[in-house]
């Protein structure tokens, strides 16, 4: 009885999701709406905002959103399981400081960067251990490590900043792919995107991520190692955040303890705007990438239109709230249409 009651919400949700034709599930969805909105806003900005259509604008836009794009990949998977990682912004700052401190101590940049990646993996493992082994809520854990990692970052360098980085790596962080205005940082992002897409949609590990988000108990009874899956995802989150921190440091040429303050809120806003459910069990990577680019396009276009940063934050926040409210209203309408005793279309056609 316990198993049936636990699994029933998942079963009902899956059956409702698949009673519509495939083309309708793909085209008429919140995820597709985000992609369509990105296209419309981009076209409008090119036509209406002076200078937005210039190649240099695309270059700076991608450089600005690159850290968010990177961190949003593991964050999407974590939130699909029903968890969250609020420490990613602080990990970016800590990785930046570790890289700078390594350079300051006379280490080659490559060694300092590897140390930063190791610190990122360890930080993610700490989050994963506290969530999966100790059993603490990820919200509480990552709020704590947000403060911990930021405190360590500020404590290592204090108020000083390290700015002496190898010219080769600093130039590469801002360089463009030959013949284009696309920065090189998009190459590792695309590689990671492909890896995460394959992991999420084409492996048993990815199917387990969705199952955990729908029902941890049902997933566990299905043979999915819930704790191990979450632990791996938190480690990946810390590792990717550290990589983003290295890029952040090289792009701005400065390692400081307060680098990327508040970045975690931008990442989570983009992931939620991209259609990932805060309750878990639902989400697509392509729509999250579209949401990050949508926020980037809006911010870039509004800055070119001489709109202040405070107003930009208000507009972005309103867009996020509207997307969440809109999704809730759509779910309510769909639930209201499913009257008690009404058979799904497939079942009804079979019965007739």
């Amino acid at each position: 009885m316990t198993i049936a009651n636990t699994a029933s919400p998942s079963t009902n949700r899956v059956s409702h999701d698949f009673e519509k034709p495939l083309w309708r599930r793909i085209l008429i969805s919140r995820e597709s709406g985000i992609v369509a909105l990105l296209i419309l806003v981009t076209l409008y900005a090119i036509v209406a905002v002076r200078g937005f259509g210039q190649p240099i604008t695309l270059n700076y836009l991608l450089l600005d959103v690159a850290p968010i794009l990177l961190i949003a990949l593991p964050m999407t998977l974590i939130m699909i399981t029903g968890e969250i990682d609020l420490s990613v912004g602080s990990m970016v700052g800590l990785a930046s400081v570790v890289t700078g401190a390594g350079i300051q101590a006379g280490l080659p940049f490559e060694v300092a960067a590897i140390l930063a990646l190791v610190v990122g993996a360890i930080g993610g493992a700490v989050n994963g251990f506290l969530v999966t082994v100790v059993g603490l809520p990820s919200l509480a854990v990552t709020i704590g490590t947000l403060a911990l990692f930021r405190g360590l970052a500020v404590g290592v360098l204090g108020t000083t900043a390290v700015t002496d980085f190898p010219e080769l790596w600093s130039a590469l962080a801002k360089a463009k792919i030959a013949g284009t205005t696309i920065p090189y940082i998009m190459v590792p992002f695309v590689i990671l995107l492909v890896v995460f897409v394959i992991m999420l949609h084409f492996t048993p590990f990815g199917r387990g991520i969705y199952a955990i988000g729908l029902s941890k108990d049902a997933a566990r009874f299905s043979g999915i190692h819930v704790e191990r899956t979450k632990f791996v995802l938190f480690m990946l989150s810390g590792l990717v955040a550290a990589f983003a921190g290295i890029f952040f440091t090289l792009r701005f040429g400065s390692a400081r303890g307060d680098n990327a303050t508040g970045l975690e809120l931008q990442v989570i806003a983009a992931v939620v705007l991209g259609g990932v459910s805060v309750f878990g069990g639902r989400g697509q990577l392509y729509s999250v990438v579209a949401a990050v680019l949508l926020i980037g396009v809006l911010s870039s276009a509004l800055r070119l239109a001489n709109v202040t940063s405070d107003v930009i934050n208000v507009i972005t926040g309103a867009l996020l709230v509207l997307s969440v409210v809109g999704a809730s209203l759509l779910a309510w309408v769909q639930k209201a249409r499913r009257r008690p005793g009404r058979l799904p279309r497939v079942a009804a056609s079979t019965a007739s």
Side-chain angles (χ1 to χ4, degrees):
M1 179 66 69
T2 304
I3 298 176
N5 289 341
T6 303
S8 61
S10 307
T11 305
N12 290 339
R13 181 174 181 175
V14 171
S15 65
H16 288 319
D17 286 345
F18 283 87
E19 42 179 89
K20 297 177 183 178
L22 177 62
W23 67 268
R24 190 172 177 182
R25 296 200 306 268
I26 294 175
L27 296 180
I28 305 177
S29 65
R30 180 182 176 184
E31 290 83 1
S32 299
I34 292 297
V35 175
L37 186 59
L38 169 63
I39 295 172
L40 291 174
V41 171
T42 302
L43 292 176
Y44 178 81
I46 291 173
V47 173
V49 180
R50 183 179 180 182
F52 185 85
Q54 299 297 320
I56 191 64
T57 302
L58 174 63
N59 178 259
Y60 280 109
L61 190 156
L62 292 177
L63 286 173
D64 288 341
V65 302
I68 303 175
L69 284 171
L70 290 166
I71 301 172
L73 298 178
M75 183 69 77
T76 298
L77 273 60
I78 287 175
M79 292 185 67
I80 289 175
T81 66
E83 305 291 351
I84 196 168
D85 186 357
L86 292 171
S87 67
V88 288
S90 296
M91 179 52 70
V92 170
L94 181 58
S96 174
V97 164
V98 170
T99 305
I103 294 293
Q104 198 175 48
L107 295 176
F109 173 79
E110 295 80 0
V111 175
I114 291 173
L115 285 176
L117 293 175
V118 171
V119 168
I122 293 173
V126 169
N127 285 334
F129 176 82
L130 293 175
V131 171
T132 62
V133 178
V134 181
L136 299 176
S138 58
L139 179 64
V141 167
T142 56
I143 286 176
T145 52
L146 178 153
L148 173 64
F149 297 158
R150 184 64 68 184
L152 290 172
V154 174
V156 170
L157 288 182
T159 58
T160 62
V162 178
T163 57
D164 187 18
F165 296 99
E167 183 60 33
L168 172 65
W169 288 102
S170 297
L172 182 62
K174 294 172 280 192
K176 307 168 189 174
I177 298 174
T180 70
T181 59
I182 300 175
Y184 268 113
I185 188 60
M186 289 296 106
V187 174
F189 164 71
V190 171
I191 294 173
L192 285 174
L193 176 61
V194 171
V195 170
F196 275 88
V197 166
I198 293 173
M199 185 196 318
L200 182 61
H201 296 291
F202 300 99
T203 66
F205 182 82
R207 290 191 289 273
I209 291 173
Y210 281 107
I212 292 169
L214 289 169
S215 172
K216 288 186 292 185
D217 294 331
R220 192 174 285 111
F221 282 121
S222 299
I224 297 169
H225 201 304
V226 175
E227 288 74 22
R228 183 174 60 192
T229 300
K230 290 184 179 182
F231 184 84
V232 169
L233 294 180
F234 276 105
M235 275 197 67
L236 286 174
S237 180
L239 188 62
V240 174
F243 177 72
I246 296 169
F247 164 74
F248 195 99
T249 304
L250 292 174
R251 190 210 165 180
F252 294 103
S254 176
R256 295 173 51 93
D258 59 352
N259 276 354
T261 299
L263 184 68
E264 62 278 345
L265 299 180
Q266 299 178 52
V267 174
I268 293 169
V271 173
V272 174
L273 179 61
V276 177
S277 172
V278 294
F279 302 107
R282 179 186 177 90
Q284 301 287 341
L285 281 167
Y286 77 90
S287 60
V288 171
V289 172
V292 175
L293 294 176
L294 174 60
I295 293 174
V297 167
L298 276 173
S299 300
S300 179
L302 291 171
R303 282 197 300 268
L304 288 172
N306 295 320
V307 177
T308 63
S309 59
D310 292 335
V311 176
I312 293 175
N313 291 335
V314 170
I315 294 174
T316 304
L319 178 64
L320 176 62
V321 171
L322 287 174
S323 70
V324 174
V325 172
S328 299
L329 287 175
L330 180 61
W332 181 82
V333 170
Q334 290 175 342
K335 184 178 179 180
R337 291 179 60 187
R338 297 175 188 137
R339 297 188 300 272
R342 181 181 178 183
L343 292 174
R345 292 177 183 174
V346 176
S349 62
T350 305
S352 61

